[in-house]
């Protein structure tokens, strides 16, 4: 039973355009959400997070949007660059306790020059 | 660098053998997590340490899996009598502390790729 779902295994965009990665969750207890980026043979690298009390968080080219009523979040990358090509994981957690993260299966983003 | 390190980077073993995987967290980080990523899957939580104690072991798949942490630093994940389904990348993450703000994120090591023949 997947609590965090990334329904698109892959996404391909042109350099300079917007990349939109989507994530859905089922557990209403989740109160914070993160995006991690992973290159081959490396561990995931934290990209951006958002608390459930917000609906948007922006950091440079990266913006995460949260729609709590739809249990949906998305990551926007504008403009996309070839160096952004990686696997992106959506993760969710509950503050307090162990704060272990529940991850989606990832979306492989390819940005074409 | 001062990131999370893991050893070995790759481990090939025969079914039925025991393996030990090591994690060196970022200095000063009190919270430590083990995850694993099987082929085509997301990261799956295994166990969480706060200091040397493990208040959440809910992700360990069977009693063949165990972990310990000493000195509030290094952690070892042990898999006894390995099976082919144990083949995965095992990732360790550390965090300054649990119970902090959500922006106090987990930092991951590069992982150990375990292959059980």
């Amino acid at each position: 039973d997947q609590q965090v779902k990334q329904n698109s295994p892959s996404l391909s965009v042109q350099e300079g355009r917007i990349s939109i990665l989507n994530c859905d969750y089922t557990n209403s207890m989740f109160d914070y959400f993160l995006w991690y980026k992973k290159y081959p043979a490396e561990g995931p690298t934290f990209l951006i997070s958002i608390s459930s009390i917000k609906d948007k968080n922006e950091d440079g080219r990266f913006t995460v949007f949260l729609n709590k009523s739809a249990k949906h979040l998305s990551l926007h990358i504008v403009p996309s660059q070839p160096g952004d090509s990686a696997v992106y994981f959506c993760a969710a957690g509950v503050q307090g306790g162990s704060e272990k993260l529940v991850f989606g299966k990832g979306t492989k983003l390819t940005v074409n020059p | 660098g001062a990131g999370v390190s893991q050893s070995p980077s790759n481990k090939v073993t025969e079914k039925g053998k025991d393996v030990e995987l090591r994690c060196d967290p970022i200095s000063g980080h009190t919270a430590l997590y083990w995850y694993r990523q099987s082929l085509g899957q997301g990261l799956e939580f295994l166990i969480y340490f706060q200091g040397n104690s493990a208040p959440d072991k809910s992700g360990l798949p069977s009693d063949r899996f165990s972990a310990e942490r000493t000195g509030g630093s290094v952690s070892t994940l042990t898999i006894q009598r390995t099976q082919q389904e144990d083949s995965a990348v095992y990732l360790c993450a550390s965090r300054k502390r649990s119970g902090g703000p959500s922006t106090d994120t987990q930092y991951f090591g590069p992982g150990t790729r375990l292959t059980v023949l």
Side-chain angles (χ1 to χ4, degrees), chain B residues 9-56:
Chain B
S9 55
N10 279 285
K11 177 71 177 180
V12 179
T13 190
E14 293 179 348
K15 178 181 171 181
K17 295 285 179 69
D18 298 351
V19 295
E20 283 189 355
L21 312 179
R22 177 187 168 107
C23 171
D24 284 86
I26 294 172
S27 178
H29 280 197
T30 61
L32 186 147
Y33 303 79
W34 283 97
Y35 295 84
R36 74 174 176 181
Q37 185 182 15
S38 303
L39 193 63
Q41 302 297 313
L43 281 72
E44 172 193 4
F45 167 78
L46 298 177
I47 187 170
Y48 153 71
F49 286 92
Q50 177 58 39
N52 292 335
S53 63
D56 189 349

Side-chain angles (χ1 to χ4, degrees), chain A residues 6-106:
Chain A
Q6 293 178 256
N7 291 320
S8 298
S10 63
L11 175 68
S12 184
V13 300
Q14 281 302 119
E15 181 178 6
R17 306 295 287 267
I18 185 171
S19 295
I20 300 176
L21 296 98
N22 293 302
C23 178
D24 297 292
Y25 62 97
T26 57
N27 188 344
S28 56
M29 296 294 291
F30 291 141
D31 57 8
Y32 70 104
F33 306 87
L34 309 91
W35 285 93
Y36 281 83
K37 174 180 176 180
K38 187 180 185 300
Y39 294 115
E42 295 184 11
T45 303
F46 170 72
L47 200 55
I48 192 168
S49 66
I50 188 167
S51 166
S52 60
I53 62 173
K54 295 187 174 182
D55 55 18
K56 177 182 173 181
N57 189 28
E58 191 172 351
D59 183 2
R61 297 186 297 114
F62 303 91
T63 303
V64 56
F65 295 91
L66 175 62
N67 182 333
K68 282 179 60 180
S69 61
K71 293 191 175 69
H72 177 84
L73 63 154
S74 61
L75 174 68
H76 292 211
I77 307 173
V78 183
S80 302
Q81 300 174 352
D84 296 329
S85 297
V87 177
Y88 288 78
F89 289 97
C90 172
V94 178
Q95 294 195 63
S98 70
E99 298 180 16
K100 62 192 176 190
L101 296 177
V102 180
F103 285 81
K105 291 186 178 183

Side-chain angles (χ1 to χ4, degrees), chain B residues 39-105:
Chain B
L39 193 63
Q41 302 297 313
L43 281 72
E44 172 193 4
F45 167 78
L46 298 177
I47 187 170
Y48 153 71
F49 286 92
Q50 177 58 39
N52 292 335
S53 63
D56 189 349
K57 307 179 184 179
S58 61
L60 295 178
S62 75
D63 58 8
R64 296 186 295 105
F65 287 72
S66 63
E68 65 174 12
R69 189 179 184 196
T70 56
S73 180
V74 172
S75 177
T76 303
L77 177 70
T78 301
I79 310 173
Q80 295 179 308
R81 304 180 304 281
T82 52
Q83 304 294 312
Q84 288 183 333
E85 62 263 28
D86 300 335
S87 296
V89 176
Y90 288 80
L91 291 148
C92 174
S94 72
R95 185 179 184 192
K96 193 175 293 183
R97 67 186 188 283
S98 59
S102 61
T103 50
D104 182 18
T105 189

